């Protein structure tokens, strides 16, 4: 007699869920936290290894930056709080290049009223991105030492030193994302002969905090001399020099002065240098000979100005090896003249996320090859354009034109000055921004 119908109904065993793929991101700067957002959104587990002992929240270091419209939209989709980004940025709608002569008289060389960027402070933007991530994914105070592939190249293991204890620890993942900056050790592993290229000039820079002294003579005079502060990127050009001035939120002015000089002797793994008091005093005296007194006064009242040596790198031939991928300044160190460093980092992260989602983790090689094919040609052209613009603004030689003199420049010569001359300004070849934003919203 068959009693099989009396047996309890047996369910098919459920297939085991596939383990989530895991990425190890080396570097917790804006490129690193952007990648964390983009990868978590497309189903990856993420660990961020960062040598700083804590997030840079509230840090006065770092400087102002310009975010383009696509970066702003991407950040809004990652955090889900675009209104908060609006609160920590200020409009930069005008890009204004002016010549300044020996009499401190200014003449407009190029004015673009459709610049359409926003100004932010580096540390504030970092905090905005960091705060929207799960805090447990960060390994703070971990100094990256080295990495190795598994025998089948399917996984990667990184070694890091825990700075507080001196111990060495290991982290495994399916993919290594090198977001370790322009002096990237991971890039150096694959491309030991690639060196940063000194631009021929350095930048004095600082952030002037005028909170509580909004009615001071200094601020009155700087607003008189720069009536569109708060929405304008001001660039003053003198032979062999140029300055940048713009307002960032929380009552701060970001200023930069680029000046031609031999390559400085930098200590350690950094492109910034601490300055002595006598160097600062000389900077003030030199500034008085060239720049508008209102700007010089801002320089004088800025706490702890510092020197940034300006480097970039010839475009790389590749930014992907097996399951290792370069992003941000590790992939394309650039001079700052096209406001690209942060924007390129954010776009790298978005494109990487889009490619990983499109191909799935089982086709990781194809995903990373597509990421490289999209980002490498665009970033390479933008790096070379920023280099050229920097040399023009500094009056340095170029093979195809005479050194630029802002006081005698023709309208034709001034066409290179606005940032809108950047290749791919405002659009992204091979990938519509709507694709990236849809990927970001999932």
């Amino acid at each position: 007699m068959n009693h099989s119908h009396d047996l309890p109904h047996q369910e098919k065993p459920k297939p085991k869920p596939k383990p989530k793929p895991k990425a190890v991101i080396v570097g917790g700067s804006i490129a690193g936290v952007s990648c964390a957002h983009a990868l978590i959104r497309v189903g990856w587990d993420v660990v961020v290894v960062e040598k700083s002992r804590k997030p840079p929240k509230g840090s006065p270091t770092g400087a102002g930056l310009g975010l383009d419209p696509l970066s702003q939209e991407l950040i809004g989709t990652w955090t889900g709080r675009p209104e908060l980004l609006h609160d920590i940025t200020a409009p930069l709608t005008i890009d204004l290049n002016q010549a300044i002569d020996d009499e401190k008289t200014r003449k407009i060389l190029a004015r673009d009223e459709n610049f359409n960027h926003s100004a932010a402070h580096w540390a504030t933007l970092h905090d905005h991105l960091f705060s929207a991530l799960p805090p447990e994914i960060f390994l703070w105070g971990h100094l990256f030492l080295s990495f190795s592939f598994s025998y089948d190249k399917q996984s990667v293991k990184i070694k890091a030193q825990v700075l507080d204890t001196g111990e060495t620890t290991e982290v495994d993942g399916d993919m290594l994302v090198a977001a370790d900056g322009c002096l990237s050790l991971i890039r150096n592993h694959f491309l030991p002969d690639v060196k940063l290229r000194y631009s021929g000039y350095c930048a004095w820079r600082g952030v002037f905090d005028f909170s509580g002294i909004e009615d001071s003579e200094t601020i009155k005079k700087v607003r008189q001399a720069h009536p569109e502060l708060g929405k304008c990127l001001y660039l003053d050009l003198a032979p062999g020099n140029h300055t940048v001035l713009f307002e960032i939120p929380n009552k701060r002015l970001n200023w930069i002065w680029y000046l031609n000089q031999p390559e400085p002797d930098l200590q350690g793994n950094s492109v910034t240098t601490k300055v002595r008091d006598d160097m600062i005093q000389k900077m003030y005296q030199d500034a008085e000979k060239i720049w508008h007194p209102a700007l010089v006064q801002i320089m004088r009242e800025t706490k702890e100005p510092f020197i940034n040596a300006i480097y970039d790198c010839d475009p790389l031939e590749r930014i992907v090896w097996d399951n290792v991928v370069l992003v941000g300044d590790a992939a394309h160190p650039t001079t700052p003249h096209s406001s690209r460093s942060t924007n390129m980092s954010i776009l790298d992260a978005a494109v990487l996320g889009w490619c990983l989602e499109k191909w799935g983790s089982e086709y990781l090689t194809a995903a990373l090859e597509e990421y490289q094919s999209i980002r490498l040609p665009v970033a390479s052209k933008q790096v070379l354009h920023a280099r050229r613009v920097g040399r023009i603004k500094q009056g340095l030689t170029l093979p195809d034109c005479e050194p630029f003199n802002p006081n005698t420049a023709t309208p034709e010569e001034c066409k290179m000055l606005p940032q809108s001359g950047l290749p791919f300004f405002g659009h992204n070849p091979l990938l519509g921004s709507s694709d990236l934003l849809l990927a970001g919203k999932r």
Side-chain angles (χ1 to χ4, degrees), residues 116-161:
N116 210 13
H117 280 50
S118 285
H121 187 258
W122 183 91
T124 312
L125 179 65
H126 185 280
D127 179 58
H128 176 69
L129 285 161
F130 165 72
S131 303
L133 287 166
E136 65 273 12
I137 69 172
F138 285 85
L139 297 178
W140 296 104
H142 281 59
L143 177 68
F144 169 79
L145 298 174
S146 64
F147 73 93
S148 56
F149 290 109
S150 60
Y151 72 94
D152 60 359
K153 299 268 181 100
Q154 294 299 297
S155 65
V156 66
K157 184 192 297 285
I158 76 120
K159 281 188 179 170
Q161 183 181 35

Side-chain angles (χ1 to χ4, degrees), residues 232-247:
C232 184
L233 181 70
Y234 278 96
L235 293 100
D236 281 4
L237 287 80
N241 298 265
H242 76 286
T243 58
V244 179
L245 178 70
F246 60 97
E247 190 168 345

Side-chain angles (χ1 to χ4, degrees), residues 91-296:
L92 268 188
T93 53
I94 303 166
D95 174 19
L96 179 61
N97 286 267
Q98 308 178 102
I100 185 165
D101 61 20
D102 294 344
E103 310 297 313
K104 311 291 195 297
T105 306
R106 290 197 184 105
K107 174 181 80 176
I108 293 176
L109 299 175
R111 180 182 171 97
D112 175 10
E113 297 196 3
N114 300 303
F115 185 45
N116 210 13
H117 280 50
S118 285
H121 187 258
W122 183 91
T124 312
L125 179 65
H126 185 280
D127 179 58
H128 176 69
L129 285 161
F130 165 72
S131 303
L133 287 166
E136 65 273 12
I137 69 172
F138 285 85
L139 297 178
W140 296 104
H142 281 59
L143 177 68
F144 169 79
L145 298 174
S146 64
F147 73 93
S148 56
F149 290 109
S150 60
Y151 72 94
D152 60 359
K153 299 268 181 100
Q154 294 299 297
S155 65
V156 66
K157 184 192 297 285
I158 76 120
K159 281 188 179 170
Q161 183 181 35
V162 184
L163 293 178
D164 283 345
T165 63
E167 293 169 339
T168 301
T169 187
E170 296 184 335
V171 188
D172 291 298
D174 302 292
M175 174 174 68
L176 173 58
V177 179
D180 54 343
C182 63
L183 294 162
S184 169
L185 292 173
I186 298 168
R187 182 185 70 225
N188 191 54
H189 171 90
F190 293 106
L191 301 169
D193 297 332
V194 166
K195 298 286 181 267
L196 290 184
R197 180 191 153 282
Y198 180 57
S199 63
Y201 49 94
C202 287
W204 274 100
R205 56 193 312 174
V207 175
F208 177 60
D209 185 339
F210 61 92
S211 51
I213 55 161
E214 295 93 323
D215 297 328
S216 66
E217 278 305 301
T218 300
I219 292 301
K220 279 181 188 162
K221 282 180 177 161
V222 83
R223 291 208 181 280
Q224 219 173 345
H226 307 84
E228 293 175 297
L229 265 182
K231 62 177 181 179
C232 184
L233 181 70
Y234 278 96
L235 293 100
D236 281 4
L237 287 80
N241 298 265
H242 76 286
T243 58
V244 179
L245 178 70
F246 60 97
E247 190 168 345
I248 53 179
N250 296 333
K251 310 217 172 351
R252 288 172 293 187
L253 294 174
N254 186 75
W255 61 267
I256 310 168
W257 172 16
Y258 298 100
L259 59 170
N260 299 336
Q261 63 177 78
E263 183 172 4
D265 181 19
L266 296 169
Q267 301 301 313
N269 201 23
S270 176
V271 294
T272 58
T273 178
K274 285 271 194 290
V275 290
R276 301 184 311 271
D277 195 52
D278 60 311
M279 293 163 73
I280 296 174
Q281 294 304 321
K282 181 175 186 319
M283 183 265 286
Y284 297 152
Q285 289 161 12
D286 291 345
E288 278 175 352
K289 295 171 195 159
I290 309 171
W291 304 119
H292 193 282
L295 178 59
V296 178

Side-chain angles (χ1 to χ4, degrees), residues 66-68 92 94-97 110-112 114-115 117 233-235 242 244 246 258 335-341 343 382 385-386 389 393 414-426:
L67 286 176
D68 67 23
L92 268 188
I94 303 166
D95 174 19
L96 179 61
N97 286 267
R111 180 182 171 97
D112 175 10
N114 300 303
F115 185 45
H117 280 50
L233 181 70
Y234 278 96
L235 293 100
H242 76 286
V244 179
F246 60 97
Y258 298 100
T335 62
H337 308 293
S338 297
S339 301
R340 287 320 294 161
S341 176
N343 291 299
Q382 293 186 334
H385 179 84
V389 170
K393 290 187 177 182
C414 295
K415 280 185 179 167
M416 271 295 286
L417 301 178
Q419 301 215 19
S420 58
L422 177 77
F424 313 114
F425 183 83

Side-chain angles (χ1 to χ4, degrees), residues 292-402:
H292 193 282
L295 178 59
V296 178
Q297 194 55 35
I298 292 289
M299 293 174 171
R300 282 187 173 276
E301 293 184 31
T302 297
K303 290 184 179 127
E304 296 182 28
F306 62 98
I307 292 177
N308 197 171
I310 307 299
Y311 289 88
D312 66 6
C313 185
D314 288 335
L316 306 182
E317 288 182 12
R318 53 193 296 199
I319 50 176
V320 163
W321 294 264
D322 297 303
N323 48 357
V324 179
V325 55
L326 305 184
V327 298
D329 288 345
H332 34 66
T334 183
T335 62
H337 308 293
S338 297
S339 301
R340 287 320 294 161
S341 176
T342 301
N343 291 299
M344 286 200 283
S345 297
I346 291 166
L347 194 48
D348 286 349
V351 172
L352 180 60
W354 182 84
C355 293
L356 292 171
E357 183 180 47
K358 173 184 167 181
W359 287 95
S361 56
E362 58 273 29
Y363 296 107
L364 182 58
T365 303
L368 296 186
E369 288 290 339
E370 180 157 14
Y371 161 80
Q372 176 173 267
S373 73
I374 292 170
R375 290 301 298 143
L376 190 59
V378 176
S380 299
K381 284 195 169 111
Q382 293 186 334
V383 167
L384 293 176
H385 179 84
R387 176 188 293 183
R388 181 177 173 84
V389 170
R391 291 192 72 79
I392 287 171
K393 290 187 177 182
Q394 287 301 110
L396 292 165
T397 54
L398 281 164
D400 58 343
C401 58
E402 292 294 307

Side-chain angles (χ1 to χ4, degrees), residues 24-40 46-50 78 126 129-130 133 137-138 177-181 327-329 345-346 349:
V24 183
I25 299 171
V26 173
S29 190
I30 285 173
V33 292
S34 297
C35 282
H37 274 288
L39 298 192
I40 287 170
V46 164
V47 177
V48 181
V49 176
E50 167 54 45
W78 291 339
H126 185 280
L129 285 161
F130 165 72
L133 287 166
I137 69 172
F138 285 85
V177 179
D180 54 343
V327 298
D329 288 345
S345 297
I346 291 166

